[in-house]
Amino acid sequence: MGKRRPLPPLVATLLLLPAASRRLTAALAVLVVLSSVLPAGFALASGALIGSLGEAVRQGWGSPAGRRVTEAIAGVVGLFVLQQVSGPAVQALADALGRRADGQVRLRVMAATLRPPGVAHLEDPDVVDRVTEAQTVGTGDFTVQDATVGIASVVTS
């Protein structure tokens, strides 16, 4: 039986997240999807608003067309505010989830390194390299927290 191939860093990081917190992972997933859909919704609502202005001007602002324009303005403003809030919310959730996942990885690495008796194994360069790699989940110098925040940033941009 050969050595197991390590998972790609992205996959390894994503697999750690639900174990750290299912609720935060679900909330982050929902916010990421929402953040991805908001720009299209804003564009559609803005187009509808612009398209309805002519009729409202002809009929007057007190007409049903004028009320629809007022509602469309409220919708566009609401979508704009959601767009502005969703980015920081995604980053905050990703940071919190990443911290939890990072803590779990550290606990697992600590338990694995303390399992063998003595400290001689901790002086082995291969063990030190494996501990470092485990703490960064194959992402180089980045922690799991850094990778989680980075993934969320890339997905929502």
Side-chain angles (χ1 to χ4, degrees):
M1 200 159 147
K3 195 175 181 183
R4 267 181 42 192
R5 263 178 70 196
L7 293 171
L10 175 64
V11 173
T13 302
L14 292 176
L15 289 174
L16 288 171
L17 300 181
S21 172
R22 289 191 186 282
R23 285 184 181 180
L24 282 178
T25 302
L28 181 59
V30 167
L31 263 180
V32 163
V33 169
L34 180 66
S35 294
S36 300
V37 172
L38 281 173
F42 180 76
L44 290 172
S46 297
L49 169 63
I50 291 168
S52 64
L53 283 174
E55 191 65 27
V57 169
R58 279 191 292 282
Q59 293 182 12
W61 293 107
S63 69
R67 283 190 291 282
R68 281 193 299 274
V69 166
T70 305
E71 291 167 359
I73 290 171
V76 167
V77 169
L79 286 169
F80 178 77
V81 169
L82 282 174
Q83 276 185 290
Q84 300 307 305
V85 171
S86 68
V90 165
Q91 293 303 307
L93 270 176
D95 188 57
L97 181 57
R99 270 194 315 257
R100 284 191 183 194
D102 208 21
Q104 282 198 337
V105 167
R106 288 174 195 251
L107 287 174
R108 289 169 63 184
V109 168
M110 188 182 307
T113 56
L114 295 176
R115 196 168 296 128
V119 293
H121 64 284
L122 297 174
E123 295 173 1
D124 181 356
D126 287 338
V127 171
V128 172
D129 287 345
R130 290 180 72 197
V131 166
T132 301
E133 187 176 318
Q135 288 178 329
T136 59
V137 193
T139 58
D141 292 330
F142 299 105
T143 64
V144 176
Q145 180 181 358
D146 296 334
T148 304
V149 171
I151 291 167
S153 295
V154 167
V155 170
T156 57
S157 59

